[in-house]
Amino acid sequence: MDEKVLLGHGSGGNMMRRIIDEVFFAGYGNEDLAVGNDAADLPAPQPGERIAYSSDSFVVTPHFFPGGDIGHLAVCGTVNDVATSGAVPKYLSSSFILEEGFPTEDLKRIVDSMRRVAQEAGVEIVTGDTKVVNRGHGDGVYINTSGVGFIPAGRQLGGQYIQPGDRILVSGTLGDHGITIMSCREELSFHADLQSDAAPLNHLIEEVLQAAPETRCFRDPTRGGLASTLNELAEQSQVDMVVEEDAVPVKPAVRGACEMLGYDVLQVANEGKMVAVVPAAQAEAALAAMGSNKYGADAAIIGEVVEADPRRGARVSIRTNFGSLRILDMLVGEQLPRIC
Amino acid sequence: MDEKVLLGHGSGGNMMRRIIDEVFFAGYGNEDLAVGNDAADLPAPQPGERIAYSSDSFVVTPHFFPGGDIGHLAVCGTVNDVATSGAVPKYLSSSFILEEGFPTEDLKRIVDSMRRVAQEAGVEIVTGDTKVVNRGHGDGVYINTSGVGFIPAGRQLGGQYIQPGDRILVSGTLGDHGITIMSCREELSFHADLQSDAAPLNHLIEEVLQAAPETRCFRDPTRGGLASTLNELAEQSQVDMVVEEDAVPVKPAVRGACEMLGYDVLQVANEGKMVAVVPAAQAEAALAAMGSNKYGADAAIIGEVVEADPRRGARVSIRTNFGSLRILDMLVGEQLPRIC
């Protein structure tokens, strides 16, 4: 195999054939991918089931970081988005935009990492695409994944179903991914063992749904962090939310880094955490289910949904350690570009 | 709306919200997209149907060209890939990688063009993503689309089903897209009315399947052109193919440009043409169906499938105007990067 990616690897001709065979098929090939038609031909869901569908592009820099890499992230991100609907994720697409000169060895590492996490999540990469852009028009590698899942009959989740009285849960500590990327990029070293939380959470979600079948919705607090996620959810259902600052799990190293850099940890990105909104009666069951999953050890109930004042619309507040309430806004502007 | 794309438009916060509302929802919004969850929740196919799934990223330069733009291409390319399986294309995802500084007006034009062609094809854009990369790490806009279609019960198409005796059809003139992009890029002017052929061909495919239900496969000869497409198909079924040079439709302006530039028109990309392989008995019916579609006026039967010599494997040849046979190879290297 060529040592670096060349423009010809995106040509549609024999060089593209070579990179597909030697890198992508060799990495995460399977029967569906190997057929080699323009579209994969796949079994549909059972009668009564529905389709969940999502897509994300990944432009994170650096490509490799403690706890993961851009390929790992690209699989986890889409698996998690699909799973938030209550679906069992089934099929992924994986499309690469490579920059001329990108080392083939790095690409193989990324593809291998995608294979491993796809296997853990139980999804198959069934279709894909390879484009190459000339030097100076990319940043090594960008990856788009899209995902299709099957939603079991009767399951209906979404931010539009939240009701006053519901409890808000997070599946673990916040800010790990954002602060890890930040510290790689700036070559800061906040704490030796700080690492990205990027993880596939579809099994965790399924376990929560078994324990708390009336869960209203899941959402992963990626870009914009918990603050942006809760504001989106509150607006979808036109409710208020109150978060207890004391209850929000944050690693000391992440807290320290945020204080030093002036970041609000609630606006920092996560890639392996799930927010769930659950009726009060099932909140403890949901928490126990999260806590039993390996990615949910630090899960916590962090707040509550209350009625919104109809004169001003949905609002998210946080009760600080000192007992005062302050408004928790969506992220304004951009604090950390290309976090995922 | 801001005049240019800023890093904050990819933040996950309120600026991203604004670009989503004012550009994407305003452009091609619909009920499914408007729900605002992480994954779209969609009706599944009827019992007996299957899922077709495909994904492509688009990095074409320039973004606007005679006959289309990157958005138009991104919808057509994925609609066509999904349709090659015999599926009715239903849902599209659309994910943007924008470069900081890209004019919002251009983005709106692209999104509007996606809306129009998605409507023509009868597909809905139901999910998407927006990332922004810093200046010098993109080229204005890259778009990934993926697509899901439903394959009617009993329909089974693919390059693996081709048999000796089958006829090879193309739906129109070759090379129009590649030579148009080339002439834009180099500011050459081969012919005033030369334009890209980019078009959604799902209706044409459906019409061919009604007329010639035993069609073996469709494939769109994009990157690498007809030559690469036929070599892929021949290899999938381990057959030989013989193309009649005289029968291949090529516009005079395209032929002239290829002669001047030293290109083989059979290796030049098309974005609105379909190759079909059809049993001999249904070839005329397939041709008539193509010819009745507005995108198939210049359709032609261009060759025939024959048995391969088992000692050397699949081979594609062309019978030249002088009556001699020459081997038609896949594209080697790269003649025209970023054609789609």
Side-chain angles (χ1 to χ4, degrees):
Chain A
M1 186 62 207
D2 312 282
E3 270 182 32
K4 292 187 181 296
V5 170
L6 306 170
L7 282 171
H9 289 127
S11 65
N14 66 341
M15 288 179 67
M16 191 166 91
R17 182 64 177 275
R18 200 159 70 225
I19 199 174
I20 289 174
D21 285 346
E22 296 180 14
V23 178
F24 300 113
F25 281 8
Y28 50 58
N30 56 58
E31 266 181 44
D32 287 312
L33 200 61
V35 177
N37 289 321
D38 279 347
D41 179 335
L42 303 162
Q46 297 299 312
E49 296 187 334
R50 305 187 311 283
I51 288 179
Y53 189 20
S54 192
S55 166
D56 259 351
S57 292
F58 294 84
V59 299
V60 66
T61 174
H63 301 123
F64 299 93
F65 45 82
D69 57 55
I70 188 170
H72 179 83
L73 204 59
V75 171
C76 293
T78 291
V79 161
N80 292 346
D81 280 348
V82 169
T84 57
S85 67
V88 178
K90 301 287 285 180
Y91 311 128
L92 288 191
S93 71
S94 156
S95 294
F96 287 78
I97 298 177
L98 301 170
E99 186 187 8
E100 185 187 7
F102 187 64
T104 315
E105 271 314 309
D106 286 1
L107 184 59
K108 285 184 174 170
R109 272 178 71 193
I110 289 166
V111 165
D112 190 57
S113 163
M114 295 176 81
R115 176 189 60 75
R116 274 183 283 118
V117 68
Q119 190 169 26
E120 179 185 345
V123 296
E124 248 192 21
I125 298 170
V126 295
T127 186
D129 175 50
T130 313
K131 292 290 189 307
V132 181
V133 294
N134 33 335
R135 248 175 239 274
H137 290 292
D139 197 3
V141 54
Y142 297 145
I143 305 177
N144 177 281
T145 51
S146 72
V148 168
F150 297 169
I151 307 175
R155 217 173 246 183
Q156 197 94 46
L157 299 173
Q160 66 273 41
Y161 302 121
I162 298 171
Q163 292 178 24
D166 290 347
R167 298 297 189 268
I168 303 161
L169 287 79
V170 292
S171 63
T173 54
L174 296 184
D176 301 14
H177 178 75
I179 295 301
T180 301
I181 295 296
M182 173 70 191
S183 80
C184 286
R185 217 180 280 169
E186 306 296 330
E187 296 181 12
L188 300 170
S189 173
F190 295 114
H191 199 281
D193 59 3
L194 195 60
Q195 61 171 35
S196 167
D197 56 354
L201 299 176
N202 53 317
H203 301 310
L204 178 144
I205 285 179
E206 188 58 43
E207 287 152 23
V208 171
L209 285 170
Q210 295 300 330
E214 288 177 49
T215 296
R216 312 291 187 197
C217 67
F218 295 95
R219 188 153 306 173
D220 61 336
T222 58
R223 284 179 290 172
L226 181 74
S228 299
T229 292
L230 293 184
N231 273 284
E232 282 174 29
L233 293 175
E235 181 148 331
Q236 270 184 281
S237 277
Q238 287 298 306
V239 292
D240 277 11
M241 293 181 171
V242 181
V243 173
E244 304 295 329
E245 188 170 24
D246 273 346
V248 176
V250 182
K251 290 203 171 92
V254 170
R255 189 179 303 282
C258 284
E259 275 164 13
M260 199 180 104
L261 299 164
Y263 287 170
D264 182 346
V265 69
L266 302 181
Q267 293 186 334
V268 176
N270 311 281
E271 293 291 338
K273 295 295 151 38
M274 204 43 75
V275 172
V277 184
V278 184
Q282 300 189 343
E284 288 297 333
L287 180 65
M290 276 186 183
S292 316
N293 183 285
K294 69 172 168 172
Y295 296 123
D298 299 314
I301 299 175
I302 60 164
E304 192 175 341
V305 178
V306 295
E307 268 186 51
D309 180 340
R311 288 168 305 184
R312 59 155 170 74
R315 175 183 286 180
V316 180
S317 311
I318 185 158
R319 196 183 324 274
T320 67
N321 302 341
F322 311 105
S324 60
L325 271 184
R326 70 169 170 89
I327 304 233
L328 187 59
D329 269 328
M330 280 189 108
L331 178 63
V332 176
E334 174 60 299
Q335 60 184 16
L336 203 50
R338 297 180 58 191
I339 197 72
C340 63
Chain B
M1 186 62 207
D2 312 281
E3 270 182 33
K4 289 186 183 296
V5 170
L6 305 169
L7 282 171
H9 289 126
S11 66
N14 66 341
M15 286 178 69
M16 191 165 92
R17 182 63 178 277
R18 199 160 69 225
I19 199 174
I20 289 174
D21 286 347
E22 297 181 14
V23 179
F24 300 113
F25 281 8
Y28 50 58
N30 55 59
E31 266 182 44
D32 287 311
L33 200 63
V35 177
N37 290 320
D38 279 347
D41 179 335
L42 303 161
Q46 298 300 310
E49 296 186 335
R50 305 187 311 284
I51 288 179
Y53 189 20
S54 192
S55 166
D56 261 349
S57 292
F58 295 83
V59 299
V60 67
T61 172
H63 301 123
F64 300 93
F65 44 83
D69 58 55
I70 187 171
H72 179 82
L73 205 58
V75 171
C76 293
T78 290
V79 161
N80 292 346
D81 280 348
V82 168
T84 56
S85 67
V88 178
K90 301 287 285 183
Y91 310 127
L92 288 191
S93 72
S94 155
S95 293
F96 286 79
I97 298 176
L98 302 170
E99 186 186 8
E100 186 187 6
F102 187 64
T104 315
E105 272 313 309
D106 286 359
L107 185 59
K108 286 184 174 169
R109 270 178 72 193
I110 289 167
V111 164
D112 190 56
S113 162
M114 294 176 80
R115 177 189 60 75
R116 274 183 283 118
V117 66
Q119 191 169 25
E120 179 185 344
V123 296
E124 248 192 20
I125 298 170
V126 296
T127 186
D129 176 50
T130 314
K131 293 289 188 307
V132 182
V133 295
N134 32 335
R135 246 175 240 274
H137 290 291
D139 197 3
V141 55
Y142 297 145
I143 305 177
N144 177 280
T145 51
S146 72
V148 167
F150 297 168
I151 307 174
R155 216 173 247 184
Q156 197 96 45
L157 299 172
Q160 67 272 40
Y161 302 121
I162 297 171
Q163 292 177 25
D166 290 347
R167 298 297 189 267
I168 303 161
L169 285 79
V170 293
S171 63
T173 55
L174 295 184
D176 300 14
H177 178 74
I179 295 300
T180 301
I181 296 297
M182 172 71 191
S183 81
C184 285
R185 217 180 280 169
E186 307 296 331
E187 296 181 13
L188 300 170
S189 174
F190 296 113
H191 198 283
D193 59 3
L194 195 58
Q195 62 172 34
S196 167
D197 56 355
L201 299 177
N202 54 317
H203 301 309
L204 178 144
I205 285 179
E206 188 59 43
E207 288 152 23
V208 171
L209 285 170
Q210 295 300 330
E214 288 176 50
T215 296
R216 313 290 186 198
C217 67
F218 295 95
R219 186 152 307 172
D220 60 336
T222 57
R223 285 179 288 171
L226 181 75
S228 299
T229 292
L230 293 185
N231 273 284
E232 282 174 30
L233 293 176
E235 182 148 332
Q236 270 184 281
S237 278
Q238 287 298 305
V239 291
D240 278 11
M241 292 180 170
V242 181
V243 172
E244 304 294 330
E245 189 170 24
D246 272 346
V248 176
V250 181
K251 290 203 170 95
V254 170
R255 189 181 302 281
C258 285
E259 276 166 13
M260 199 180 104
L261 299 163
Y263 288 170
D264 182 347
V265 69
L266 302 181
Q267 294 187 334
V268 175
N270 311 281
E271 293 292 337
K273 294 294 150 42
M274 204 44 76
V275 172
V277 184
V278 184
Q282 300 190 345
E284 286 298 334
L287 180 66
M290 277 186 182
S292 317
N293 184 285
K294 69 171 167 173
Y295 296 122
D298 299 313
I301 298 175
I302 59 163
E304 191 175 344
V305 179
V306 294
E307 268 187 51
D309 180 339
R311 288 168 305 185
R312 57 154 172 75
R315 176 183 284 178
V316 180
S317 313
I318 184 159
R319 195 184 323 271
T320 66
N321 301 342
F322 311 106
S324 61
L325 270 184
R326 71 171 170 89
I327 303 231
L328 187 61
D329 269 328
M330 281 189 108
L331 178 63
V332 175
E334 174 61 296
Q335 61 183 15
L336 203 51
R338 299 181 56 192
I339 196 73
C340 64

